[in-house]
């Protein structure tokens, strides 16, 4: 396999990495520039991808003193998984872009760090391979509805068989303007990347979301999921169903009323509508709309444990990290991803201690403004 | 004809152009720097031209999911034209500055893309030539009142004969501070540029709005149109009359009461009063002032389909693009303008799909903030 | 006289100057860098000098259409002068820093442009020389109270004899932190500069506000004027008395109650307290405090006719330009100052025409926000 | 002793220093870059350290005129010290990082400038040496609770014996993310630095807050002080007890109710929680919470006398300077610190005079916004 877009990953953590965020820069030495830009950037001019980060930087966490935080922990129970900590691995497609081992490496990191991994429909490894590598750590399967509903049904059945604990339906990536800077730098989707989960379904295998083809757009509105699709999915599985890609409070309330397990607030990391608001801004409105107890995750813009703290303070039960796993994966494979997760957890623990929060629940009443 | 300020346009679209906005940069290779700056810049220090763009960037579009947008379209009916899409070609003077074929090329692009073209009084080609090239696509004529009212009357008569469907009276360009940077770069108005529509009226032909002469100012308050001029115009034609260059809600209401067909909110692309607010900001106030149904167009700052979406969300029925046509014209003539329009339409369609809007009317209730 | 800090002024206006503001940059070619920085900068780190400019840039002027502005003018009647236009020459000390002819050149420019000049106590030419050069154009005398009150009294008597129409008492420059950047560049106050007005009063002559001496501070609180000083001044002259250097609404109201002719809102161009708010911001509050009719001038930050418009819209009856006259003086002496004033007037006229204002009074109700 | 991270301090003040703030830049010539960055930076990415400065720059001081400020002074009486001026030397650890003489130099500067010095538990010189050098000027002792409470008790007893007038308990530095940029530049804590106060207590001596070790974190939540610790301390000493490191109004009120002498609002100069708000912002809220009379000091971000003025206007009784003493110490030892303090006092006096404030109490009602 030709992986010329990658430098070999290392077997130990570079000394320059002291904060989780350091993976952002160090990864540049391990991935070619066009490929890095494809991973790092957003659709169009990348406004939303930038906004996702800025929304965190605008907030501060007020320290507290003399608070008793003995016996604290970072546990959270969600439909589909009880977690030791609130940081999930987001469903990032085609992880062989970052490391030859792809999602298997990521899953191994999930395993050793008690992290919930969300495997993508568009993974380079099969969902069965990922499940095997993740072993007994919690794992969810991200589902793109397929044009042929029999294939969708089969994917869900396979996820159940492989031990996935929840289905995550992504709704927000039906149409995209390509990442302008990545294309300008000459990014082309490597030919060897294949959606392994879909290979067995002849002629159906969807290629990645972006390509160097002459058409500006790809994917078609015909692919957009409908309430009927959700209805059928619900009838076919007893797994909890999460919806990923919700940004509007009205949509969130409607999905809540529909009886789904929970919502992942996300703008697809700024890779869908360039010009969408930061997901963190949407989170606050959606938490207000659905009440205190409905399960909400936040995806987009997490670069530190302080960011995790901020997202929880604004209403998230847990968060997903996407690009961060790709950066860490490119640097040191499973070791890198595990290290990145450890740093995020340590940074979160520090923020909790300094803000006087013993549990994630305490964070909700912290002063973040 | 000496067109040394232009590089030859190309016969195919450069690969670097994937978004409509890419024409802004690519055009730099096709026009000399002083001339590019004259087109791109605004009066004085260009504050308003910059503000026009920034006003769009400050807004976000909230994505929606699971909305039924089947059967959607981008049609809009305006006084003087029923449009397949809400993007009009603004009346830009002297288009031979961007391409030897001038407005004829632009009109051909309008024809093949079902776009309404607004021909300028100060066009390099005659209004009759433009109408012929635009064929059966919608077309409006932009009118500068002339000192000799007989000439004004004759221009209107000619526009009617040539098949123009509306008259657009520009009110905001009576006095200008020149584009400081363009002059600094040595911009001089090319001698061969002539206001072809006016040539037949001896000694009346107005030269362009800017020149390298020693006088800082040009044009005179004596030229400023009055209510009497509008009264006379209305008595002389049965075509719908639009007013271009309105920024204040009180002015808008007064023109509405006067019974004119509609208003184009515009600060002349930042080429009149340097220090005027962004036209997008004025749009919101004017829409509030004139009610939901009075026809309003927005001119100034459109660089993408997302921008078109935002303008419509804030109250516009449709928008005009000025500099964008000059950039595209310089790159590939009629082909470039048509391609730029197609990109804008595709981007608008994506924004509509991702924001769950089936029609332009739906956009009005989208969450843009 | 050694004027090595100056390049010779020119006899014609450089072609690069098309806007009044262009003098800011062009002057760099006519004054050595340390001296330019002394003129251009503010005290300390120059925060207030910068804020003075930024306050204007944050405001926009909303254009109007179809307004009848025939018969418009820019006249304004103030206590101590009836002015053809609302732009006064601020009392800038030691103008030989900018041109060998000093204030005589400035006064000649005032004469030919119908501009009111405010001569400084600390002028390089005597107040009598300045009055002679200004001829029959309006002129005011700026007074620093002297430690010896007999000298103060004599200065006022001389001003009356020389035909000055008002006394402007400066209150805000008793203590200064020096311009850090100017000193860093090596600025030293030229030895040949002398306060000509004060030379006759032996041992009293105050040197300029800044010097390269080892002491960080100069001037002493003992010099700070008191209400008693104002009382005595009022008893000694029948000329209208303006107070310059007021920034707080409470101070303004107290001075109004005391019965003084008017107030010049000023932070000494950012040359006194580094960290004071922009004078334009103070203007709005002070106008609210003193009511619509009390005479108020604005000093600080004017670089264009649009700025003059904005100041008047926020409550000023007229404005003073300080650094602008030094820049123009350095470039072309009296010719430069006259040209700069003409450009400001033209720019103001354009702003008025485009904003539909026939008189300065109309500007008060213009939409500036 | 190997002090290769330091250039020799000078015996006279460099001419480039005219404002207190100039020490920030000049110090770069006297400390190696990694060490300078360790002193200058904050934890993590330094967001809070930057925010501390920005909070001052966003505020302005409105000048006043004609106010009688005769007989003014800068005195303030605090629990534990009556001060000639409101600028204290913050407890900065290991000052031999800036000068071979360490805290002895700083204490000498305190002595000659009537400044209250707060000696750190983690000082390079012993608290007895510091007290001797400070002679009869006011001095406080900053206390880190030690794991072995007998040591804590002994430290307090020693402070009492040495003549310290108050105990300052630091609560906010239990956990830190290291200064990322300093480590990247290669900063390592010099081996020769020792916490001299603690050396006598074998095996207990805490090393500095940061180190080049492989662990990302250091210090442990077990070290976090509790209410019990405060209770015991109060029972063991009759000295006034100040609490340093409070940022939340609820914490401040609770400490006030507990009966402590006063609070130092501080985020540890941005060296604890990266992402905490600026201490100046917290000050305003805490002053509102504790009422007008409860003693409050402000620590963090002071670079000028104007900053001192602003802090007092927002509710501080006095301020502490930390990094500034390290910069001045590195440049010229005791002479530098004394000069820096003199400049701050002069700048404060100027601000008071120009804002019409005769006393610190007057500053509270000044217009700072």
């Amino acid at each position: 396999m030709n992986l010329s877009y990658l430098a070999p990953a290392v077997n130990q953590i570079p000394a320059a990495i002291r904060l989780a965020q350091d993976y952002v820069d160090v990864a540049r030495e391990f991935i070619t520039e066009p490929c890095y830009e494809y991973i790092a950037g957003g659709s169009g001019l990348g406004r939303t991808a930038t906004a996702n980060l800025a929304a965190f930087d605008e907030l501060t966490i007020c320290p507290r003193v003399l608070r008793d935080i003995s016996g604290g922990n970072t546990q959270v129970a969600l439909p589909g998984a009880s977690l030791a900590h609130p940081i999930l691995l987001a469903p990032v497609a085609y992880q062989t872009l970052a490391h030859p081992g792809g999602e298997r490496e990521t899953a191994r990191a999930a395993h050793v760090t008690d992290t919930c991994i969300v495997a993508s429909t568009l993974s380079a490894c099969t969902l069965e391979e990922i499940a095997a590598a993740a072993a007994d750590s919690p794992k969810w399967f991200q589902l793109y509805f397929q044009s042929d509903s029999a294939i969708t049904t089969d994917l869900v059945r396979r996820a159940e068989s492989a031990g996935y604990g929840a289905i995550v339906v992504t709704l927000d990536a039906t149409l995209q303007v390509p990442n302008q800077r990545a294309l300008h730098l000459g990014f082309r989707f490597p030919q060897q990347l294949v959606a392994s989960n879909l290979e067995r379904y002849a002629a159906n295998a969807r290629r990645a979301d972006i390509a160097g083809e002459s058409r500006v757009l790809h994917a078609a509105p015909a692919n957009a999921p409908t309430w009927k699709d959700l209805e059928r999915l619900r009838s076919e599985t007893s797994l909890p169903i999460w919806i990923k890609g919700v940004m509007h409070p009205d949509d969130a309330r409607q999905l809540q009323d529909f009886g789904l397990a929970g919502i992942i607030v996300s703008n697809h990391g700024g890779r869908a509508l360039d010009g969408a608001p930061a997901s963190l801004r949407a989170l606050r409105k959606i938490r207000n709309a659905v009440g205190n107890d409905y399960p909400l995750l936040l995806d987009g813009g997490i670069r530190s444990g302080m960011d995790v703290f901020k997202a929880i303070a604004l209403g998230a039960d847990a968060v997903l990290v996407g690009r961060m796993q790709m950066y860490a994966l490119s640097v040191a494979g499973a070791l890198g991803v595990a290290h990145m997760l450890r740093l995020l957890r340590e940074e979160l623990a520090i923020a909790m201690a300094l803000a006087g929060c013993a549990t994630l629940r305490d964070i909700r009443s912290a002063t973040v403004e």
Side-chain angles (χ1 to χ4, degrees), chain A:
Chain A
M1 210 195 307
N2 172 14
L3 292 170
S4 58
Y5 52 92
L6 289 175
V10 292
N11 289 320
Q12 58 176 42
I13 307 302
I17 298 179
R18 296 181 193 88
L19 308 175
Q21 177 147 359
D22 291 331
Y23 276 103
V24 176
D25 280 338
V26 172
R28 292 180 190 276
E29 300 161 28
F30 292 85
I31 316 178
T32 59
E33 195 186 359
C35 186
Y36 183 91
E37 177 57 33
Y38 170 68
I39 293 169
S43 63
L45 301 178
R47 289 186 184 95
T48 297
T50 301
N52 276 352
L53 299 176
F56 283 97
D57 288 344
E58 288 162 10
L59 293 171
T60 60
I61 302 171
C62 189
R64 302 302 298 266
V65 294
L66 294 168
R67 309 247 294 189
D68 183 6
I69 55 168
S70 56
N73 67 73
T74 60
Q75 296 164 6
V76 58
L78 297 174
S82 272
L83 306 180
H85 64 88
I87 305 160
L88 292 82
L89 289 162
V92 178
Y94 302 112
Q95 299 192 8
T96 43
L97 269 176
H99 189 280
E103 294 83 2
R104 264 184 308 251
E105 294 285 318
T106 311
R108 275 183 209 124
H111 179 45
V112 300
T113 57
D114 275 331
T115 301
C116 179
I117 183 171
V118 188
S120 168
T121 292
L122 299 176
S123 52
C125 307
T126 63
L127 63 93
E128 289 83 3
E129 291 170 320
I130 296 169
D136 60 351
S137 70
K139 48 193 162 297
W140 295 352
F141 178 68
Q142 177 271 337
L143 178 71
Y144 280 119
F145 285 113
Q146 304 297 308
S147 311
D148 177 349
S149 66
I151 298 175
T152 306
T153 301
D154 193 57
L155 284 167
V156 172
R157 188 194 49 73
R158 287 168 59 193
E160 289 173 335
S161 305
Y164 287 89
I167 302 294
V168 174
V169 176
T170 298
L171 291 184
D172 65 356
T174 49
L175 277 168
Q176 296 186 329
V177 175
N179 174 326
Q180 181 60 6
R181 211 175 108 76
L183 293 180
H184 187 70
L185 291 169
F187 178 73
R188 292 291 173 278
F189 218 75
Q191 291 301 320
Q192 64 269 39
L193 292 195
V194 177
S196 298
N197 285 328
L198 306 178
E199 266 191 314
R200 66 177 70 176
Y201 315 117
N204 181 69
R206 271 178 61 170
R207 281 293 303 285
D209 301 302
I210 195 171
E213 297 142 27
S214 63
R215 292 212 56 226
V216 170
L217 302 173
H218 32 257
N223 283 343
T226 65
W227 289 103
K228 280 229 174 76
D229 293 318
L230 289 181
E231 195 80 74
R232 186 185 318 108
L233 174 63
R234 189 163 57 174
S235 71
E236 290 178 349
T237 186
S238 59
L239 291 180
I241 299 170
W242 290 81
I243 300 297
K244 178 165 177 283
V246 180
M247 289 288 288
H248 199 286
D250 292 352
D251 290 343
R253 252 189 312 251
Q254 214 175 346
L255 288 160
Q256 181 184 26
D257 292 346
F258 191 72
L260 297 169
I263 284 173
I264 303 177
V265 178
S266 170
N267 51 31
H268 217 88
R271 301 175 90 85
L273 176 60
D274 189 23
S279 55
L280 188 67
R281 292 193 181 280
L283 170 64
R284 197 196 291 257
K285 295 181 179 175
I286 290 179
R287 174 52 76 199
N288 286 340
V290 299
N292 279 331
D293 297 327
Y294 189 63
L296 285 186
L297 307 189
L298 185 279
D299 170 73
I302 298 286
R303 294 290 177 275
S304 71
M306 277 71 84
D307 292 344
V308 179
F309 187 101
K310 291 173 183 176
I312 295 173
L314 267 62
D317 293 298
V319 305
L320 296 90
V321 291
R323 290 179 179 88
M324 286 297 275
Q325 61 179 292
M326 293 294 268
Y327 298 142
L329 193 59
S330 75
V331 171
L335 179 67
V337 176
H339 182 240
M340 179 272 295
L341 288 165
R342 175 188 140 190
L343 290 177
L344 284 180
R345 290 185 67 178
E346 285 185 337
E347 292 164 7
L348 172 61
I350 295 172
M352 290 176 67
L354 293 178
C357 296
T359 66
L360 302 189
R361 181 55 50 174
D362 291 343
I363 297 178
R364 281 274 187 97
S365 44
T367 301
V368 169
E369 58 191 15

